[in-house]
Short mmCIF file of all heavy atoms in Angstrom, two decimals:
data_model
loop_
_atom_site.label_atom_id
_atom_site.label_comp_id
_atom_site.label_asym_id
_atom_site.label_seq_id
_atom_site.Cartn_x
_atom_site.Cartn_y
_atom_site.Cartn_z
N THR Z 1 85.33 110.23 91.27
CA THR Z 1 86.31 109.15 91.30
C THR Z 1 87.67 109.64 91.77
O THR Z 1 88.43 108.88 92.35
CB THR Z 1 86.47 108.52 89.90
OG1 THR Z 1 86.73 109.54 88.95
CG2 THR Z 1 85.21 107.78 89.52
N GLN Z 2 88.01 110.91 91.54
CA GLN Z 2 89.25 111.46 92.07
C GLN Z 2 89.15 111.67 93.57
O GLN Z 2 90.08 111.41 94.32
CB GLN Z 2 89.58 112.79 91.37
CG GLN Z 2 89.93 112.65 89.90
CD GLN Z 2 90.27 113.98 89.28
OE1 GLN Z 2 90.41 114.99 89.95
NE2 GLN Z 2 90.38 113.99 87.96
N ARG Z 3 87.99 112.12 94.03
CA ARG Z 3 87.82 112.38 95.45
C ARG Z 3 87.92 111.10 96.28
O ARG Z 3 88.38 111.12 97.40
CB ARG Z 3 86.47 113.05 95.71
CG ARG Z 3 86.34 114.43 95.07
CD ARG Z 3 85.28 115.24 95.77
NE ARG Z 3 83.96 114.63 95.74
CZ ARG Z 3 83.07 114.80 94.77
NH1 ARG Z 3 83.40 115.55 93.72
NH2 ARG Z 3 81.89 114.25 94.82
N TYR Z 4 87.50 109.99 95.71
CA TYR Z 4 87.45 108.76 96.49
C TYR Z 4 88.54 107.77 96.12
O TYR Z 4 88.42 106.59 96.41
CB TYR Z 4 86.06 108.13 96.37
CG TYR Z 4 85.01 108.99 97.00
CD1 TYR Z 4 84.08 109.64 96.22
CD2 TYR Z 4 84.98 109.17 98.38
CE1 TYR Z 4 83.11 110.46 96.81
CE2 TYR Z 4 84.03 109.98 98.97
CZ TYR Z 4 83.10 110.62 98.19
OH TYR Z 4 82.17 111.43 98.76
N GLY Z 5 89.60 108.23 95.47
CA GLY Z 5 90.75 107.36 95.30
C GLY Z 5 91.07 106.96 93.88
O GLY Z 5 92.05 106.28 93.64
N GLY Z 6 90.26 107.35 92.91
CA GLY Z 6 90.57 107.01 91.53
C GLY Z 6 89.96 105.69 91.11
O GLY Z 6 89.51 104.89 91.92
N ARG Z 7 89.93 105.46 89.82
CA ARG Z 7 89.27 104.27 89.27
C ARG Z 7 90.00 102.98 89.61
O ARG Z 7 89.41 101.91 89.54
CB ARG Z 7 89.15 104.41 87.75
CG ARG Z 7 88.26 105.56 87.32
CD ARG Z 7 88.15 105.65 85.81
NE ARG Z 7 87.36 106.80 85.41
CZ ARG Z 7 86.03 106.82 85.35
NH1 ARG Z 7 85.36 105.73 85.67
NH2 ARG Z 7 85.39 107.90 84.98
N ALA Z 8 91.28 103.06 89.94
CA ALA Z 8 92.05 101.84 90.19
C ALA Z 8 91.90 101.33 91.62
O ALA Z 8 92.24 100.19 91.90
CB ALA Z 8 93.53 102.09 89.90
N LEU Z 9 91.39 102.14 92.53
CA LEU Z 9 91.36 101.76 93.94
C LEU Z 9 90.09 100.98 94.28
O LEU Z 9 88.99 101.37 93.91
CB LEU Z 9 91.44 102.99 94.83
CG LEU Z 9 91.47 102.72 96.34
CD1 LEU Z 9 92.75 102.00 96.72
CD2 LEU Z 9 91.33 104.01 97.13
N ASN Z 10 90.28 99.86 94.98
CA ASN Z 10 89.16 99.04 95.43
C ASN Z 10 89.35 98.70 96.90
O ASN Z 10 90.46 98.72 97.42
CB ASN Z 10 89.07 97.74 94.63
CG ASN Z 10 88.78 97.99 93.16
OD1 ASN Z 10 87.64 98.08 92.74
ND2 ASN Z 10 89.84 98.11 92.36
N GLY Z 11 88.26 98.36 97.56
CA GLY Z 11 88.33 97.95 98.96
C GLY Z 11 87.40 96.78 99.21
O GLY Z 11 86.28 96.75 98.69
N GLU Z 12 87.87 95.80 99.99
CA GLU Z 12 87.06 94.63 100.28
C GLU Z 12 87.29 94.19 101.71
O GLU Z 12 88.29 94.56 102.34
CB GLU Z 12 87.41 93.48 99.34
CG GLU Z 12 88.82 92.96 99.52
CD GLU Z 12 89.12 91.77 98.63
OE1 GLU Z 12 88.18 91.23 98.02
OE2 GLU Z 12 90.30 91.37 98.55
N ALA Z 13 86.36 93.40 102.23
CA ALA Z 13 86.51 92.80 103.55
C ALA Z 13 87.19 91.45 103.40
O ALA Z 13 86.69 90.59 102.67
CB ALA Z 13 85.16 92.65 104.23
N LEU Z 14 88.31 91.25 104.06
CA LEU Z 14 88.98 89.96 104.05
C LEU Z 14 88.35 89.00 105.04
O LEU Z 14 88.44 87.78 104.89
CB LEU Z 14 90.47 90.13 104.38
CG LEU Z 14 91.33 90.82 103.33
CD1 LEU Z 14 92.77 90.90 103.81
CD2 LEU Z 14 91.27 90.11 102.00
N GLN Z 15 87.74 89.55 106.07
CA GLN Z 15 87.04 88.76 107.08
C GLN Z 15 85.67 89.40 107.31
O GLN Z 15 85.44 90.55 106.94
CB GLN Z 15 87.82 88.76 108.41
CG GLN Z 15 89.25 88.28 108.31
CD GLN Z 15 90.03 88.59 109.58
OE1 GLN Z 15 89.52 89.18 110.52
NE2 GLN Z 15 91.28 88.18 109.58
N ASP Z 16 84.75 88.64 107.91
CA ASP Z 16 83.50 89.25 108.36
C ASP Z 16 83.87 90.41 109.28
O ASP Z 16 84.61 90.23 110.26
CB ASP Z 16 82.63 88.24 109.11
CG ASP Z 16 82.07 87.17 108.18
OD1 ASP Z 16 82.04 87.39 106.96
OD2 ASP Z 16 81.67 86.11 108.69
N SER Z 17 83.39 91.60 108.95
CA SER Z 17 83.82 92.80 109.66
C SER Z 17 82.64 93.63 110.13
O SER Z 17 81.56 93.58 109.54
CB SER Z 17 84.73 93.66 108.75
OG SER Z 17 85.83 92.92 108.28
N THR Z 18 82.88 94.38 111.19
CA THR Z 18 81.88 95.31 111.71
C THR Z 18 82.47 96.71 111.67
O THR Z 18 83.60 96.93 112.09
CB THR Z 18 81.50 94.96 113.16
OG1 THR Z 18 81.00 93.62 113.21
CG2 THR Z 18 80.43 95.91 113.68
N LEU Z 19 81.70 97.65 111.12
CA LEU Z 19 82.13 99.03 111.03
C LEU Z 19 81.13 99.93 111.74
O LEU Z 19 79.93 99.66 111.75
CB LEU Z 19 82.26 99.48 109.57
CG LEU Z 19 83.41 98.92 108.76
CD1 LEU Z 19 83.04 97.59 108.14
CD2 LEU Z 19 83.80 99.90 107.67
N LEU Z 20 81.65 101.00 112.31
CA LEU Z 20 80.82 102.04 112.89
C LEU Z 20 80.88 103.21 111.92
O LEU Z 20 81.88 103.93 111.85
CB LEU Z 20 81.36 102.44 114.26
CG LEU Z 20 80.41 103.18 115.21
CD1 LEU Z 20 79.18 102.33 115.51
CD2 LEU Z 20 81.13 103.56 116.49
N LEU Z 21 79.82 103.37 111.12
CA LEU Z 21 79.79 104.42 110.11
C LEU Z 21 79.51 105.76 110.77
O LEU Z 21 78.56 105.90 111.54
CB LEU Z 21 78.72 104.11 109.06
CG LEU Z 21 78.88 102.78 108.30
CD1 LEU Z 21 77.79 102.65 107.25
CD2 LEU Z 21 80.26 102.70 107.65
N LEU Z 22 80.34 106.74 110.44
CA LEU Z 22 80.22 108.08 111.01
C LEU Z 22 79.52 109.01 110.03
O LEU Z 22 79.60 108.82 108.81
CB LEU Z 22 81.60 108.62 111.37
CG LEU Z 22 82.46 107.73 112.28
CD1 LEU Z 22 83.82 108.37 112.52
CD2 LEU Z 22 81.76 107.46 113.60
N SER Z 23 78.88 110.03 110.56
CA SER Z 23 78.18 111.01 109.73
C SER Z 23 79.19 111.94 109.08
O SER Z 23 79.88 112.71 109.78
CB SER Z 23 77.18 111.79 110.56
OG SER Z 23 76.71 112.91 109.84
N ARG Z 24 79.30 111.91 107.76
CA ARG Z 24 80.25 112.77 107.07
C ARG Z 24 79.92 114.25 107.29
O ARG Z 24 80.81 115.04 107.63
CB ARG Z 24 80.26 112.43 105.57
CG ARG Z 24 80.47 110.96 105.28
CD ARG Z 24 80.38 110.66 103.78
NE ARG Z 24 81.60 111.03 103.11
CZ ARG Z 24 82.62 110.19 102.94
NH1 ARG Z 24 82.55 108.96 103.40
NH2 ARG Z 24 83.70 110.58 102.30
N PRO Z 25 78.65 114.67 107.11
CA PRO Z 25 78.34 116.09 107.33
C PRO Z 25 78.61 116.54 108.77
O PRO Z 25 79.13 117.64 108.99
CB PRO Z 25 76.84 116.17 107.00
CG PRO Z 25 76.58 115.01 106.12
CD PRO Z 25 77.49 113.92 106.60
N ALA Z 26 78.29 115.68 109.75
CA ALA Z 26 78.49 116.06 111.14
C ALA Z 26 79.97 116.23 111.46
O ALA Z 26 80.38 117.21 112.11
CB ALA Z 26 77.86 115.02 112.06
N VAL Z 27 80.81 115.27 111.02
CA VAL Z 27 82.24 115.35 111.30
C VAL Z 27 82.86 116.53 110.57
O VAL Z 27 83.71 117.25 111.12
CB VAL Z 27 82.93 114.03 110.92
CG1 VAL Z 27 84.45 114.16 111.06
CG2 VAL Z 27 82.42 112.90 111.80
N THR Z 28 82.44 116.78 109.33
CA THR Z 28 82.96 117.93 108.58
C THR Z 28 82.63 119.23 109.27
O THR Z 28 83.48 120.13 109.41
CB THR Z 28 82.39 117.93 107.15
OG1 THR Z 28 82.78 116.72 106.48
CG2 THR Z 28 82.92 119.11 106.36
N ALA Z 29 81.40 119.37 109.72
CA ALA Z 29 80.97 120.59 110.41
C ALA Z 29 81.75 120.78 111.71
O ALA Z 29 82.19 121.90 112.03
CB ALA Z 29 79.47 120.54 110.69
N LEU Z 30 81.94 119.69 112.46
CA LEU Z 30 82.71 119.79 113.70
C LEU Z 30 84.16 120.16 113.44
O LEU Z 30 84.75 120.96 114.17
CB LEU Z 30 82.65 118.45 114.44
CG LEU Z 30 81.36 118.13 115.20
CD1 LEU Z 30 81.35 116.67 115.65
CD2 LEU Z 30 81.23 119.05 116.41
N ALA Z 31 84.75 119.59 112.39
CA ALA Z 31 86.15 119.87 112.08
C ALA Z 31 86.36 121.33 111.71
O ALA Z 31 87.43 121.90 111.96
CB ALA Z 31 86.62 118.96 110.94
N ARG Z 32 85.33 121.95 111.12
CA ARG Z 32 85.45 123.36 110.76
C ARG Z 32 85.36 124.28 111.97
O ARG Z 32 85.83 125.42 111.94
CB ARG Z 32 84.37 123.72 109.74
CG ARG Z 32 84.62 123.13 108.36
CD ARG Z 32 83.44 123.33 107.43
NE ARG Z 32 83.76 122.87 106.08
CZ ARG Z 32 82.87 122.68 105.14
NH1 ARG Z 32 81.57 122.89 105.39
NH2 ARG Z 32 83.24 122.26 103.93
#
């Protein structure tokens, strides 16, 4: 819960939305 913003943080879509989900392991490995 600390890593992802704490218990008080929430996120919602205000409109119908489209996201391009990225690979966390792939981006982390590339960044290193």
Side-chain angles (χ1 to χ4, degrees):
T1 52
Q2 292 181 10
R3 296 203 300 272
Y4 294 110
R7 296 181 184 276
L9 182 66
N10 296 272
E12 65 177 350
L14 290 180
Q15 304 168 359
D16 291 341
S17 303
T18 302
L19 289 86
L20 198 60
L21 300 183
L22 306 179
S23 168
R24 308 176 79 91
V27 173
T28 300
L30 283 169
R32 288 172 174 166

